[in-house]
């Protein structure tokens, strides 16, 4: 039997994700809560605002697949969320806040 990634759909509060999210791209990780940059993938907390990372979003999951595989081995409790989904919803939220 071989294990493969299957993406799932689950409802989340975007604010809860944002408070505990590391966004990982080519230049390293960003804290979604305070926007601190250059955070290593291994970090369990933000060095700036001390947010605990429970979620990770990869900007380019295809490129970072080896990292994703290792992360799942080492920290199976962490949830990997889809970056596109996250940025679409935060974009919608920004638009709504702007119109208030
Ligand atoms: Zn932070």
């Amino acid at each position: 039997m071989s294990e493969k990634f299957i993406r799932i759909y689950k409802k989340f509060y975007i604010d809860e994700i944002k408070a505990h999210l590391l966004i990982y791209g080519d230049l390293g990780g960003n804290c979604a809560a305070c926007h601190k940059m250059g955070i290593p993938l291994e970090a369990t907390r933000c060095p700036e605002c001390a947010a605990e990372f429970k979620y990770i979003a990869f900007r380019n999951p295809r490129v970072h697949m080896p990292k994703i595989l290792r992360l799942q081995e080492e920290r199976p409790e962490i949830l990997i969320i889809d970056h596109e989904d996250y940025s679409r919803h935060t974009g919608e939220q920004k638009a709504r806040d702007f119109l208030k």
Side-chain angles (χ1 to χ4, degrees), residues 31 33-34 36 46 48-49 51:
C31 173
C34 73
K36 163 96 179 152
C46 173
E48 187 77 21
C49 71

Side-chain angles (χ1 to χ4, degrees), residues 8-100:
I8 60 168
Y9 287 84
K10 186 178 180 324
K11 273 181 159 177
F12 288 99
Y13 287 105
I14 296 297
D15 290 340
E16 151 70 15
I17 289 194
K18 193 174 179 180
H20 299 283
L21 176 67
L22 180 71
I23 300 173
Y24 195 81
D26 292 336
L27 301 172
N30 285 9
C31 173
C34 73
H35 305 292
K36 163 96 179 152
M37 295 191 289
I39 302 173
L41 192 56
E42 296 73 28
T44 54
R45 280 182 182 278
C46 173
E48 187 77 21
C49 71
E52 184 193 352
F53 296 131
K54 299 182 193 170
Y55 310 98
I56 298 193
F58 286 85
R59 287 184 193 276
N60 200 339
R62 282 176 207 279
V63 172
H64 288 124
M65 194 45 79
K67 285 196 170 78
I68 296 176
L69 290 167
R70 205 178 61 222
L71 187 72
Q72 284 275 283
E73 288 284 307
E74 290 169 1
R75 290 160 71 193
E77 74 286 358
I78 208 145
L79 289 177
I80 298 171
I81 63 161
D82 188 72
H83 182 258
E84 250 179 58
D85 288 348
Y86 174 76
S87 55
R88 189 172 62 244
H89 294 309
T90 48
E92 278 172 12
Q93 203 168 42
K94 262 182 215 152
R96 265 204 311 273
D97 291 345
F98 183 74
L99 292 171
K100 266 180 198 165

